[in-house]
Amino acid sequence: MAKRKVDSENRAFQNRWEAEYMFTDIAGKPVCLVCGANVAVIKEFNIRRHYETKHQELQNLNAEEKIQRVKELKKNLRFQQTFFTRAKSQSEAAVKASFIVAQEIAKSARPFTEGEFLKSCMMKVCDVLCPENKQMFANVSLSRNTVADRICEMATDLKTQLSERSKDFTAFSLAVDESTDMTDTAQLAIFIREVDSSLCVTEEILDIKSMHGTTTGKDIFENVCQSITDMKLPWDKLIGLTTDGAPAMCSEKVGLVGRMRAKMQEENCTGELTAYHCIIHQEMLCCKVLKMEHVMNTVTQTVNFIRAKGLNHWQFQSFMREIDSEFADIPYHTEVRWLSRGKVLNRVFELSKEICQFMDSKGKDTTVLRDEKWKCELAFLADVTAHLNVLNLHLQGRDRIITDMYDTVKAFKVKLLLWETQMRQSNLPHFPCCQVMFNQVGATVFPNTHFADKLSALRTEFARRFGDFRNPFAVDVETAPVQIQMELIELQCNGTLKAKYDTAGPAQFIRSIPETMPQLRLHAAQTLCMFGSTYLCEKLFSVMKMNKTAHRSRLTDGHLQSILRISTAQELTPNLNDLTAKKRCQTSCSDKMA
Ligand SMILES: *[C@@H]1O[C@H](CO)[C@@H](O)[C@H](O)[C@H]1NC(C)=O
Ligand SMILES: *[C@@H]1O[C@H](CO)[C@@H](O)[C@H](O)[C@H]1NC(C)=O
Ligand SMILES: CC(=O)N[C@H]1CO[C@H](CO)[C@@H](O)[C@@H]1O
């Protein structure tokens, strides 16, 4: 009976309640125009009771006065409502703005406290340009903690996006490098290069791991393994692994490469992991191929001695400025790495007389530095390094796919052959430092045959590393992998495709292999996903080195990783609108709790 009574009241807002009880309907709820309270049950009784008990002061208004008052109140309410929505969108904009600033801070890897500084600048600018909007700027939170939180959220978002993308790829490769940061924590950088079914390449940072304690092959392997698991990457699509060639990385038994191979067998993968040492790690070339480590060591020791003792010496001022600018450019911990670059070897060679005088004056033994044979080797190393640097510049950069690199390396191999021949005849137009030494010591002392052999070894090494990337129309079908042989024959016999290859070139052609050749497309994907170098890792480490000092020790591993993820992001960008919306949801939820 009682129930039916409630039902029969129909529970709908009656327009006359507006004039009678000063209530209005907002989104289906009766709201008191006077105090803003709303009534839970839409029943005239409840509404009348509210009006009579809470607003006795209005009881003696006559009907006309009441209508007038309702009009005013309603106008007011509308204003408040628009004000409210505007305030809401403004506060959302303020959150987004703080994300944007935090992103800039991360990209330039500045300390989080910069946010506070930026805010104070912003407020001052606002005072001058638009004082009426001061509140809007004041609402942009840029405290250290906010900036840190925003950066972590953006990094997490990037990681999620990458993980989403990873579901749709056909092949991927990893580049792994390790470096020590300013606080002597080893940081492991893992980049992923993945190719999807339409042969589009994505190259992003997969993970950065801080390794406290040892950094053996096992430690590195476990970290890489964990990242692969975290991202749910399928082992059977792992194609290539590029490392810097350090033993912990590339040892077949205990290094990362060996352990990854073993793991892939465990996972029953059919494919074989292709491991590359980064070609641009010249010190590896120096040690392993040129066998000139002894020259490098002496140069390193000498330069370090000058750095420590002779910084103010007039003869070395410009030299040091140069070295320091190289140092700023590639701020590596291990001197060999930066020393192997640029003009340092060249400058040491040019300044060798002054360096010897200086070392003598400091009581250092200069027997080695004065040795003619050693000086010839230094000259040779300086010249070869200069050539390798030019090659490096061509090979670096993110759009360098291995097939693009093929042409560059092919040209370099041809040059090496020419240099080798010329070197055997002591004809040295492309080796200026060697030419100087040759003029000094004469043909009997200058070890031209020895150097020609080294150039030959270097050429063999290049041929070995880059032997696999050939023109698909020139590939000998018999030596090609079995699964691509049939399609390869069809490809090679197809005049239309050959014409396309000739006009588009290898790099472009690879993307236009027809869908009817799935094995070749897969093979192409596997080639495309290969990293040409650990260049990205090196770039990342230079950001890390440069900026960790600015942050001092306040930078946690997590924060450093977030910064690096944001600052090295290539195709992915944090989805700021989603992040802002999520923030709004969080705040309104916590508002309710409060
Ligand atoms: C690999 O194959 C072996 C033998 O067929 C099987 O016992 C094992 O569970 C497989 N491992 C994985 C990870 O699938
Ligand atoms: C050659 O390749 C083109 C492009 O995929 C294709 O349309 C054509 O049918 C092929 N020709 C032959 C003879 O297979
Ligand atoms: C504060 C600071 O040193 N920021 C630098 C961090 O690294 C980036 C990239 O190398 C530089 O552009 C910033 O100036």
Side-chain angles (χ1 to χ4, degrees), residues 444-478:
T444 44
V445 177
F446 188 79
N448 63 319
T449 312
H450 180 59
F451 291 159
D453 290 345
K454 285 188 189 298
L455 289 172
S456 168
L458 200 55
R459 192 163 53 85
T460 313
E461 177 68 9
F462 271 83
R464 192 180 68 74
R465 289 184 187 196
F466 287 87
D468 289 337
F469 309 107
R470 286 167 291 191
N471 174 347
F473 290 92
V475 173
D476 177 6
V477 176
E478 273 179 49

Side-chain angles (χ1 to χ4, degrees), residues 235-236 261-270:
W235 282 95
D236 59 345
R261 290 217 165 104
K263 173 78 181 169
M264 283 175 73
Q265 261 175 16
E266 236 174 76
E267 297 282 330
N268 300 331
C269 301
T270 46

Side-chain angles (χ1 to χ4, degrees), residues 307 319-332 337-345 347 385 389 542:
R307 282 180 77 86
F319 176 54
M320 281 304 149
R321 265 200 300 276
E322 242 169 62
I323 287 184
D324 283 338
S325 72
E326 298 244 331
F327 190 77
D329 190 25
I330 311 285
Y332 266 96
R337 284 201 179 177
W338 59 265
L339 205 54
S340 64
R341 284 161 193 275
K343 300 197 193 85
V344 177
L345 284 167
R347 299 291 282 138
T385 306
N389 279 331
S542 59

Side-chain angles (χ1 to χ4, degrees), residues 348-449:
V348 170
F349 177 75
E350 282 173 13
L351 284 171
S352 64
K353 208 170 114 208
E354 289 81 356
I355 289 174
C356 284
Q357 282 168 359
F358 174 75
M359 301 292 271
D360 279 342
S361 77
K362 296 285 172 187
K364 281 288 230 190
D365 182 12
T366 53
T367 323
V368 176
L369 292 177
R370 289 177 190 280
D371 180 63
E372 281 185 338
K373 187 156 167 287
W374 187 86
K375 278 166 75 179
C376 288
E377 292 194 301
L378 173 63
F380 176 71
L381 193 56
D383 286 336
V384 172
T385 306
H387 287 310
L388 284 170
N389 279 331
V390 175
L391 175 68
N392 265 352
L393 287 179
H394 288 299
L395 295 181
Q396 281 176 3
R398 57 173 306 254
D399 288 328
R400 288 288 165 190
I401 59 170
I402 256 179
T403 43
D404 280 338
M405 293 166 72
Y406 172 76
D407 289 345
T408 312
V409 173
K410 192 167 126 193
F412 193 73
K413 283 191 284 193
V414 176
K415 286 182 194 167
L416 277 169
L417 186 60
L418 174 72
W419 296 336
E420 186 190 328
T421 313
Q422 292 180 334
M423 183 62 82
R424 285 204 196 283
Q425 300 157 350
S426 293
N427 174 18
L428 304 166
H430 305 293
F431 285 72
C433 296
C434 285
Q435 186 69 62
V436 172
M437 282 316 292
F438 183 83
N439 296 345
Q440 259 180 42
V441 300
T444 44
V445 177
F446 188 79
N448 63 319
T449 312

Side-chain angles (χ1 to χ4, degrees), residues 490-491 493-498 500 512-517:
E490 285 160 30
L491 178 87
C493 297
N494 189 315
T496 318
L497 291 174
K498 177 72 173 82
K500 212 172 202 174
S512 41
I513 297 174
E515 301 280 354
T516 50
M517 300 179 174

Side-chain angles (χ1 to χ4, degrees), residues 50-210:
H50 175 91
Y51 176 70
E52 283 171 357
T53 56
K54 301 278 155 108
H55 302 298
Q56 280 162 353
E57 78 279 6
L58 303 169
Q59 306 300 316
N60 34 20
L61 296 181
N62 64 32
E64 205 159 303
E65 284 169 331
K66 256 165 116 181
I67 288 167
Q68 186 55 35
R69 180 66 68 89
V70 166
K71 241 187 204 160
E72 282 163 20
L73 288 168
K74 275 178 80 176
K75 217 167 90 191
N76 227 338
L77 181 76
R78 254 199 308 279
F79 173 73
Q80 274 178 19
Q81 273 180 314
T82 48
F83 180 78
F84 181 68
T85 32
R86 211 174 61 211
K88 201 172 102 191
S89 70
Q90 267 180 19
S91 84
E92 254 187 70
V95 171
K96 186 168 175 180
S98 76
F99 268 114
I100 290 169
V101 174
Q103 189 183 13
E104 290 305 311
I105 289 175
K107 274 194 199 155
S108 59
R110 284 166 202 280
F112 298 162
T113 45
E114 293 276 283
E116 279 149 23
F117 173 69
L118 286 170
K119 169 108 175 227
S120 74
C121 293
M122 242 159 59
M123 295 310 292
K124 293 213 157 82
V125 171
C126 179
D127 269 344
V128 181
L129 296 182
C130 51
E132 69 282 6
N133 289 334
K134 197 161 178 187
Q135 191 54 43
M136 272 159 68
F137 286 80
N139 289 345
V140 181
S141 170
L142 290 175
S143 69
R144 187 188 176 278
N145 286 342
T146 305
V147 170
D149 288 349
R150 300 273 194 266
I151 286 175
C152 288
E153 284 160 32
M154 284 186 285
T156 308
D157 179 61
L158 288 177
K159 201 169 168 177
T160 313
Q161 287 186 42
L162 182 64
S163 172
E164 282 299 312
R165 270 193 191 212
S166 301
K167 288 177 185 148
D168 173 49
F169 58 61
T170 41
F172 72 100
S173 283
L174 300 177
V176 182
D177 202 357
E178 178 232 326
S179 181
T180 316
D181 71 17
M182 288 304 186
T183 60
D184 281 333
T185 308
Q187 302 283 353
L188 191 70
I190 311 165
F191 279 86
I192 182 167
R193 191 178 158 101
E194 51 183 74
V195 181
D196 66 17
S197 49
S198 50
L199 296 179
C200 287
V201 180
T202 311
E203 196 173 81
E204 291 289 340
I205 192 157
L206 178 70
D207 218 344
I208 304 140
K209 297 275 191 190
S210 308

